[in-house]
Structures are given as C-alpha cells and as structure tokens.
Amino acid sequence: MNFDYGIQKLSLLRDMRLVLMINKKSLKQFFFPIPRRGFLIRILIIVVVAFIVFRFIAVPSYISGRSMEPTYRDKTFVFYLPWLAMVRSPQIGDVVMVRMAGHRVMLMKRIVAMEGDIVEFKNGWLYVNGKLRLEPYIIYRNPWQLEPRIVKPGHVYVVGDNRGMSINRHAFGQTEKDRIAGYPLW
Amino acid sequence: MVSSVFASFFTTDKGEIEKRLASLVENISRDRGEGKISLGLKNQKLQKMLTDPCRISIPRHNIEVKKSPLELASYVSRLGARAQRVNIRFYDTSISLINNTEAVVNTTLRAKGEIRSNKSFSEVEQIKIELVKKDNEWLFSSFEQVEVLQK
C-alpha cells in the first residue's frame, strides 16, 4: 500500500513538473514569440482590424462633463458609431454626437425637436408645439424658462439630460443636421 | 547660421501659424502659483501677437468689439486672475491660407482649470481665428465664436 502510494506521488510530481515546464514554455512563447512570418501576418491583421473597428465602426470616447447625467456619467467611456449617422435619419429621443471643428471633441446631446417644431421651456418642463413632452430620462429638473422658438429647416433641437443645472451653464439649442457625427453604442 | 538658412527655406506659412497658435496657448494658459513676473511677460508677448485693433466676436452674448492689443491682453489677465489654473488646448485645427498675407484657422478650443474657490471649470467652443502677415510675422486679427448650438 505504501509502495503504491509512493509511486503515485512520484508520478504526480513528475506530471506537475511537466505541466510547469509546458506552461513555462508556452508562457515564454506567448510573451516573447519568435517573429516568424505567420506570427507577423497575424499581428498585422490584428492591427488593421483594430484600426478599422476603433476608427470607423465603434469609436471609443471619453465623456467629460455632466450635461448628459444621469444617462451618461461624467468621466466614463462610451463607443459611438460614426457610420450610423450616414445611414440613419435623426429622430426625436436619439442621443447624438454633435461635432465641432472636427471629431476629437464633440458634444453629446439628445434630440428633442425636429425642423419646424416650436420649442419652449416652462418651469423646467419641455413643450414642443405647445404640448408638454414627457421625458422619462430626466431626473433632475431646474425651473428653466425659455421663450418659444422655431427650429430652422435642416436643423434639430438638442438638449442634455441634466436639467438640474442652471440654464445659462447648460449648452443646448438647435444645430445643423450635418453636425451629427454619430450615435452612442449604448 | 546654417540652421536659420535651413529654417527659412523649409518653414512653411502653415508651420509658422501652428507655432503661433502654440505660443498663443502658452501665453493664455496659467499654472498654479505662477509668479507675477512670468504673467507680466506672458501679457507682453500676447500683445505682440495681436493686430491693432483686434476683433472679438461672441454671438451668443451679442459681443462684437474691436480692441487694442493692450486692452485685450489686460482683459485676458483680469480673467486669468480669477482662476488658479487655466489650461487651453486646440483640437481639430485646420489652417486655410487665403493668400500670402491672410489665413483662417478653424478649431475647437478647450479651456479647463480651477477658479479661486477650487471649483473646476471646463469650456469647449468652436472658434474661427483670422491672421494677417505683417513684417514677416503672422498676427491674430480676429477671434470669432462659431455657434454650434443656438438657444
């Protein structure tokens, strides 16, 4: 019995050593691979695919600012889809990225009215064409007052979800549809 | 001598304007605890970078003025004095040369910093800057805020 146990122990130790050796070898290969042709091609494919995905399909963006809280928190990340702006026409309720001079710094806002609509704020409540617009995504609400105004042709009216800030500190208003640079992924 | 000859041949107008913008950023930005002498020097440098008069247009606040470099630099200093730290950066800058002596820059300006009460601020604006070349130097002649969102 003892003899058998000794053999089992020995083989277990041998197996463990073998596993460790294999792991060491594979770990070394993983971190310090020999740059063979196949390996370089794989790396190139990964780089190209990553570039295409993160440059044109789902672009990572850092959110800085509180104007879209609580839907999008300050200092968080989001991916936006620039190609969607080319195939989709903007609709009320959409969260969009509004470009400025380019695509590196953009504004993130929600569309609340389309061209020809009359927009106004009364005591923090949004009215479009004289009708109260219920917005379930709004949690904070300050008594904003804004005289009625018509959204110009080719424009959309965008506002952030954080209505708890002062109306003077919140950037919102109408912008050209052409400025919509994409839609967030979530 | 060789380097200046080399530079005169290979420095393009766009390159010079880029340097001018970098210098503008440096002279408007303000570090925490920056001394009065340093701020004074920045103020003087800023004055030398502007035309007389220099136009400022902020349609959001119905501001359309033409000021002398001294007035503008003093105004920037006064604004800066209200902050502990101001960090300015330009993004997505495109430079268009209209002719040999005029250029237009379209860019996004981001100002971040802290005011005296330790409150942080962050402002983003698209701006259009006009420059004119005088005595072989590019000078800022106009700063205009582009209204991306119109309330």
Side-chain angles (χ1 to χ4, degrees), chain A residues 14-173:
Chain A
R14 198 181 57 207
D15 287 351
M16 275 174 70
R17 213 161 50 195
L18 201 66
V19 167
L20 275 174
M21 274 173 71
I22 291 165
N23 278 352
K24 251 186 180 176
K25 202 179 168 189
S26 57
L27 276 175
K28 198 179 171 188
Q29 267 185 354
F30 184 79
F31 285 110
F32 305 102
I34 302 153
R36 289 199 187 98
R37 198 170 157 230
F39 171 76
L40 291 175
I41 288 169
R42 261 181 304 195
I43 288 283
L44 189 71
I45 290 168
I46 290 168
V47 168
V48 170
V49 169
F51 177 77
I52 291 167
V53 169
F54 296 130
R55 181 74 178 83
F56 302 107
I57 297 170
V59 185
S61 304
Y62 178 68
I63 299 173
S64 171
R66 298 180 179 278
S67 84
M68 276 304 282
E69 283 189 358
T71 318
Y72 295 94
R73 298 267 174 204
D74 184 23
K75 293 174 185 155
T76 54
F77 277 94
V78 72
F79 286 91
Y80 82 92
L81 313 173
W83 53 272
L84 205 55
M86 288 183 267
V87 296
R88 186 177 181 203
S89 54
Q91 286 164 12
I92 288 172
D94 285 349
V95 176
V96 292
M97 315 296 285
V98 180
R99 77 173 165 77
M100 302 188 89
H103 293 79
R104 284 193 67 196
V105 178
M106 291 190 281
L107 301 169
M108 192 188 216
K109 302 284 167 190
R110 190 184 292 275
I111 298 174
V112 297
M114 305 301 289
E115 54 190 335
D117 286 343
I118 301 168
V119 181
E120 66 180 310
F121 278 101
K122 287 183 197 169
N123 296 319
W125 295 91
L126 170 70
Y127 287 78
V128 178
N129 299 326
K131 286 180 185 166
L132 175 68
R133 172 74 52 80
L134 293 171
E135 299 169 289
Y137 39 82
I138 305 295
I139 293 179
Y140 317 115
R141 203 181 295 273
N142 247 2
W144 288 12
Q145 305 290 349
L146 188 78
E147 293 293 307
R149 56 212 57 217
I150 301 172
V151 183
K152 291 181 214 166
H155 286 58
V156 288
Y157 206 90
V158 294
V159 191
D161 286 356
N162 186 357
R163 313 278 168 81
M165 46 202 307
S166 148
I167 193 167
N168 297 322
R169 286 189 58 216
H170 191 112
F172 69 94

Side-chain angles (χ1 to χ4, degrees), chain A residues 64-65 98-105 107 109 146 149 152 155 157-158 167-176 179, chain B residues 60-61 89-94 106-110 112 119-127 146-151:
Chain A
S64 171
V98 180
R99 77 173 165 77
M100 302 188 89
H103 293 79
R104 284 193 67 196
V105 178
L107 301 169
K109 302 284 167 190
L146 188 78
R149 56 212 57 217
K152 291 181 214 166
H155 286 58
Y157 206 90
V158 294
I167 193 167
N168 297 322
R169 286 189 58 216
H170 191 112
F172 69 94
Q174 51 186 304
T175 190
E176 295 106 321
R179 280 194 181 268
Chain B
R60 187 187 298 159
H61 300 298
R89 270 189 80 175
F90 289 125
Y91 295 88
D92 299 313
T93 304
S94 66
N106 193 18
T107 185
T108 304
L109 179 147
R110 170 160 222 162
K112 277 174 120 176
K119 273 187 181 175
S120 59
F121 67 89
S122 175
E123 292 290 330
V124 183
E125 293 291 346
Q126 183 179 338
I127 54 168
V146 177
E147 272 200 293
V148 177
L149 302 175
Q150 293 174 298
K151 278 184 182 166

Side-chain angles (χ1 to χ4, degrees), chain B residues 6 15 19-20 25 39 42 91 113-114 118 135:
Chain B
F6 184 83
K19 277 185 196 165
R20 216 61 179 156
V25 163
L39 291 173
K42 279 185 174 180
Y91 295 88
E114 285 160 24
N118 275 340
D135 302 328

